[in-house]
Amino acid sequence: MAAPLTLLLIVAVTIRAVLFRSSLAELIPERVEVVSPLNAWKRVVEGLALLDLGVSPYAGDVFHETPLIIYFFHFVIDYAEIVFMVMTRLVGCVFLLQFRKQKYALEAERYPLDCLELIRTPKEMYYIPLKVAMFYLLNPFTILSCVAKSTCGLNNAVIALFILCTVKGSSLMSAIFLALATYQSIYPLTLFAPALLYLLQRLYIPVNWQRSSFWLFTTQYTFMYLGSLCVMVCLSFFLLSSWDFLSSVYGFILSVPDLTPNIGLFWYFFAEMFEHFRLFFICVFQINVFFYTIPLSIKLKEHPIFLIFMQIAIISIFKSYPTVGDIALYMAFLPAWNHLYRFLRNIFLVSVVLLACSALFPVLWHLWIYAGSANSNFYYAITLLFNVAQILLVSDYFYAYLRREHHLTHGLYLKRKDGSEATLVLK
Amino acid sequence: MAAHRCNIFMLVFVLCGLTYVFVRADIEDTNHVKDAESVAVDIARKANIGASLRSTKTEDQTQAAEKERQWEAETNPADAPSDNKADHVHDTMQNLDSRPAPYAKDQTQEAAEEERQWEATEVKEADHVPDTMQTPDVPPPTPAKDQFQEELVIRPLHSGDIYASFQFRTMWDTDFLRGSKVSHYRLFPKSLGQVISKFSVRELHISFTQGYWRTMQWGQPFLPSPPGAELWVWFQDTVTDVDGAWKELTNVLSGIFCASLNFIDSTNTVQPSASFKPLGLGNVTDQRFLRYAVLPREIVCTENLTPWKKLLPCGSKAGLAVLMKSEKLFHSSFHSQALHFRPVCQDWKCKSTVWELRQTLNVVFDLHTSGQGKREWSLFKMFSRTLTEACPLASSSKVYVDVTDNPQGELFELSPTTPLLSQAVVLGDRRTYSVYDLTNQATFGQTRSLNMLLRWRAAESGDMLRPLLHGERYVAGYGLQTGEIHTLMYNNHPYRAFPVLLLDTVPWYLRLYIHTLTVTSKGRDNKPSYIHYQPSKDRLRPHLLEMLVQLPPNSVTEVTMQFERALLKWTEYTPDPNHGFYVGSSVISALVPSVVAMDTNSTRECPLFSSFFPCKEESSYFMRVYTEPLLVNLPTPDFSMPYNVICLTCTVVAVGYGSLYNLLTRTFQVEEPSPGLAKRLANIIRRLRGVPLL
């Protein structure tokens, strides 16, 4: 295991190092698909420059990172490249570790005999962590994001550490990293539910409203989470001694004032929105991210890791300033669900659309912005298609997961009463 | 009132009441007498104005010299104001927040006085023509509370174009701050006076300009102004809600001048920290009371000129203002009208202040469009009018023609000739002017009208001294994503470096990145010694960048800064979005070494003892240069698409919602194949018949 991992890391680092030294290193940070106003490296540098000029970085509308980030980079600004590489590698390693645990959970249960082919063999399980790491480290999206020095990589690292701590069962560390992720960009708030479910599952506490042990642990975890979040927010306040960052970071995320094109759904929608409906639609679109948490938690309460995957995917589709780095995070999970492959319905179509869109983004951007021979609708159409493909991908995996669960309990080859082969439908 | 008191109080107070009545009546009596006296004086003065202006050659020679000096002090446009300006900028340059001490001002004043006298003697000595001396025709400064002066300066430009600059000055010794107390207006425009007292304005400068002043072809203007509309106001330090006052003031001024000043809001208003210090008296330099805004898109036309002319005491009925025919004024390459209101010293000792309203109008007539390519100018050709009289209310009314380059008349011929000459140091350069005094009836000659004629003898006019400071600006880069603003500042002085203050106001939708700021001169990094940067807030306030840069001699200093173009909401675009968005001119304010101080081996016949050290009082002068405004394109959404976009995006969200909802609420079941249509029909018939179903 160590040898392929080392090889993987060397390859990943080499690719990034080469790209950092190439002429692409100036082109990539300007790409709107790779960086958003929230995490562009250019804006971090701008924030630091403002700090040096004695102006609060939040006095303007260019810098939207959290105060901890600015102080973090204040010290490591010279080593930024290395930091980003380390962060990406960290994510890879973290992913590597976290899936070791999962196999036992699957094997421990007893399933009908004919479902044996649905259960992963230990050999397959053995290579899953490596595949996950590879999927993340060698994903072009991750590489682009890293070369652009987007702080999205840091957020991904925090989320990965959170997942690792959760899987390891350390509730305190899990709460701290979840709070850190929430502090960085509000959306990971929705990961609270899966983390809680997983930790409960690990401690063999059933989700039962009457049980006091359930309430005890829930309160405990909530306090740890809220406490560390509070500490971080207060720390930020003491670093800058003003609350400006709240409106400049979270207000900016939630009210979407910057309509710079990106791969998400928000920018063109709110550029074309009628003024008196703006608030209503902002609420609707933002609620969309948080809205699925409760029903998904109920439906997937036995499978918190899959729930985490679903939540991260939903966040990266419906968040206000998505970049390809966010997509890379949930795509890294896909090898972990390779046992669902046989139930996926339109994976071919979706992957083709995703690939085609990724290629068309720069093309249509060029036509609109530089050549002037296309207009904004072209780029907008591609973002729509890209998001439809992502939605189909996620819902396809959800479908496959549910179907597999159904087969695990009811057998793989279902028969009708008259003995003929039955087809399974959603009703 | 006394009777009222009597009713209220008892009889014991009758005695007191009566005493009060007597005293009160006495005071009121004296007041009436005083009022009557002042009114009488006023009327008498009005009646006498014409006569007293024309009464000449009655005083003896010593008095004449005295008057001459005084006249110089009053009419020399570069003297007193530029002292003031220089003072302020000097302050700014030296230590950016210090306030001028009162005694420092006195010293400057004294120095200026000495300088003026020196200049007067020099005129005498240099010309040796007794006739060139001013005839003592200006009446002694009347103790009147208000006075009005008008003048027109005509300067033939080296490009062959001609520059005409009108200045009208109204001075009034009154207190605007007492609110509604000021109700009697004579020369000062009432509409403006009421605004000033209502909003507690201390200084107001407003200019409307059509066209761009080409410094390299035309030299320096007397009063620079950026293309479009510019407004800057210093409020009194008693104003508490400055933003509110500013908002209302812009709306009121927009009504007064029929201009779109109501488009001034927080997104184009800034508070410069150093570039716009008060030009008048007063040592309040707290930028909280300053507001500055430019509307580069503003188009100036007749509807702005008419209200501006109405503010003059004589309107456009008499005096120099009869020349302002809009069809001629706007058929020109450059047109700028401005209004400056500020407190100034009443006299040399500066014991009390008076309010000065200065209305200026600058216009450059093009050689080819207005002059049909012939190098021949006359008042009639320029304005399609001639001068027939001075404004009767004006205490002085003069026309100056710049004849500096034409001392012996070899370059152009000026007719009718005038015996009066005047010298002044204007913008660091010693200029000679022929003066026509309109208050003197002899000026109009037999025809009772003055139509000056400039006819060039030489086809080529002489070389123009390059302006010492000038600026340029442009946008570099291609595409609609990013760009770079380049500002070039030229120091053409052969051996002196001087500092300049650069002010840049950039709208929020061009997101500037301050870390990309570079200042280079002569290929080397030139670090600004002072930077004041205020980043923008989306839809709230613009970027403000001020910096103090030292310009090395004979160099070009380039300031570059990258920006990113924002995509706006579809309602925020102008009606012609693909025309682009204007960015106001950057302002370069500088204390420029004087040209007079530059020629050290002067062949002029000035006293040897006066010219050894190059640093004289006039060794540097204040100058403001405006660069070109920028026109920047922004990416645009498709304006015909709002419904489509809302429908399509909502569809995608609905696809996401629908598929997740499906999976969340439904469960997997084995499908029961539904029977075919024929079978179903058969079953219905069978049910009706009461037979068992198939």
Side-chain angles (χ1 to χ4, degrees), chain B residues 22-41:
Chain B
F22 282 129
V23 170
R24 184 64 197 255
D26 208 0
I27 291 168
E28 272 176 14
D29 251 3
T30 49
N31 273 354
H32 279 306
V33 170
K34 270 184 196 162
D35 276 1
E37 272 170 9
S38 71
V39 168
V41 166

Side-chain angles (χ1 to χ4, degrees), chain B residues 78-79 81-93 220-224 232 274-279 426-428 469 499-501 587-594 617-626:
Chain B
D79 248 356
S82 73
D83 277 347
N84 240 331
K85 283 180 203 171
D87 199 359
H88 284 297
V89 178
H90 205 66
D91 272 340
T92 317
M93 304 285 177
Q220 290 299 329
F222 294 123
L223 271 166
W232 57 287
S275 292
F276 287 88
K277 288 292 169 195
L279 295 184
V426 184
L427 299 166
L469 170 68
V500 295
L501 260 173
V587 187
I588 304 167
S589 320
L591 214 53
V592 181
S594 171
E617 167 58 28
E618 65 207 15
S619 68
S620 61
Y621 62 99
F622 179 71
M623 198 160 105
R624 192 166 278 158
V625 176
Y626 291 92

Side-chain angles (χ1 to χ4, degrees), chain B residues 140-157:
Chain B
T142 45
K145 285 172 97 66
D146 52 354
Q147 56 166 331
F148 175 67
Q149 295 167 309
E150 55 179 9
E151 66 179 51
L152 164 65
V153 184
I154 294 175
R155 190 162 95 191
L157 299 171

Side-chain angles (χ1 to χ4, degrees), chain A residues 30 59 271-272 377 380 423 425, chain B residues 481 541 570 638 649 669 671:
Chain A
E30 298 286 332
E272 296 269 5
N377 294 340
Y380 165 65
T423 47
V425 288
Chain B
Q481 192 179 4
R541 70 166 192 231
W570 71 304
D638 186 341
T649 310
Q669 280 173 14
E671 186 190 36

Side-chain angles (χ1 to χ4, degrees), chain B residues 265-279:
Chain B
D265 53 12
S266 66
T267 60
N268 47 23
T269 303
V270 289
Q271 301 172 40
S273 66
S275 292
F276 287 88
K277 288 292 169 195
L279 295 184

Side-chain angles (χ1 to χ4, degrees), chain B residues 389-671:
Chain B
E389 56 170 347
C391 171
L393 297 171
S395 58
S396 108
S397 175
K398 292 198 170 69
V399 179
Y400 295 82
V401 181
D402 193 333
V403 291
T404 316
D405 307 321
N406 191 31
Q408 267 79 50
E410 73 274 10
L411 209 58
F412 55 81
E413 177 190 337
L414 179 65
S415 66
T417 51
T418 171
L420 305 184
L421 280 180
S422 159
Q423 273 208 346
V425 176
V426 184
L427 299 166
D429 195 6
R430 200 177 282 113
R431 316 288 304 180
T432 316
Y433 295 93
S434 289
V435 185
Y436 297 83
D437 188 355
L438 301 187
T439 50
N440 184 352
Q441 206 54 45
T443 313
F444 297 105
Q446 297 296 317
T447 52
R448 302 216 145 267
S449 82
L450 176 64
N451 182 19
M452 271 164 290
L453 184 72
L454 269 90
R455 189 180 288 120
W456 264 261
R457 291 209 172 116
E460 283 292 311
S461 47
D463 286 334
M464 187 183 70
L465 194 73
R466 271 194 308 172
L468 291 185
L469 170 68
H470 97 113
E472 281 173 10
R473 195 153 71 136
Y474 59 90
V475 172
Y478 66 100
L480 298 176
Q481 192 179 4
T482 53
E484 201 167 33
I485 297 180
H486 288 245
T487 311
L488 302 178
M489 293 181 287
Y490 292 84
N491 175 2
N492 290 331
H493 200 285
Y495 56 87
R496 287 257 307 256
F498 54 87
V500 295
L501 260 173
L502 176 71
L503 169 82
D504 249 324
T505 314
V506 179
W508 65 267
Y509 38 79
L510 305 182
R511 301 182 207 282
L512 288 185
Y513 286 96
I514 187 74
H515 72 266
T516 59
L517 174 78
T518 57
V519 185
T520 47
S521 27
K522 291 184 166 173
R524 268 200 308 264
D525 203 27
N526 182 356
K527 198 171 153 46
S529 50
Y530 165 77
I531 294 186
H532 173 233
Y533 179 65
Q534 191 188 37
S536 71
K537 274 272 185 202
D538 283 4
R539 301 173 180 89
L540 215 62
R541 70 166 192 231
H543 301 269
L544 169 69
L545 174 66
E546 274 186 293
M547 47 190 184
L548 188 64
V549 187
Q550 183 84 10
L551 302 187
N554 206 3
S555 71
V556 188
T557 303
E558 186 173 24
V559 180
T560 63
M561 206 171 178
Q562 286 175 17
F563 65 89
E564 203 174 272
R565 299 163 208 243
L567 181 76
L568 309 183
K569 297 173 187 167
W570 71 304
T571 46
E572 287 170 336
Y573 287 90
T574 47
D576 49 350
N578 291 311
H579 175 73
F581 287 74
Y582 284 92
V583 180
S585 317
S586 23
V587 187
I588 304 167
S589 320
L591 214 53
V592 181
S594 171
V595 187
V596 179
M598 204 160 87
D599 48 292
T600 43
N601 53 353
S602 163
T603 51
R604 282 172 201 271
E605 296 179 49
C606 54
L608 288 177
F609 60 83
S610 72
S611 60
F612 180 66
F613 292 110
C615 290
K616 287 180 290 197
E617 167 58 28
E618 65 207 15
S619 68
S620 61
Y621 62 99
F622 179 71
M623 198 160 105
R624 192 166 278 158
V625 176
Y626 291 92
T627 65
E628 301 94 331
L630 298 176
L631 185 58
V632 181
N633 271 352
L634 295 186
T636 52
D638 186 341
F639 296 98
S640 58
M641 286 273 285
Y643 286 103
N644 303 354
V645 169
I646 291 169
C647 292
L648 289 170
T649 310
C650 286
T651 308
V652 171
V653 173
V655 165
Y657 176 79
S659 52
L660 284 173
Y661 179 81
N662 240 343
L663 292 162
L664 284 168
T665 52
R666 299 186 185 187
T667 51
F668 283 100
Q669 280 173 14
V670 174
E671 186 190 36

Side-chain angles (χ1 to χ4, degrees), chain A residues 8-22 85 137-140 142-144 146-147:
Chain A
L8 175 66
L9 286 182
I10 289 171
V11 170
V13 169
T14 318
I15 292 174
R16 283 165 177 76
V18 166
L19 283 177
F20 268 128
R21 300 286 172 274
S22 72
M85 285 216 207
L137 288 177
L138 300 183
N139 189 340
T142 325
I143 295 173
L144 286 178
C146 177
V147 173

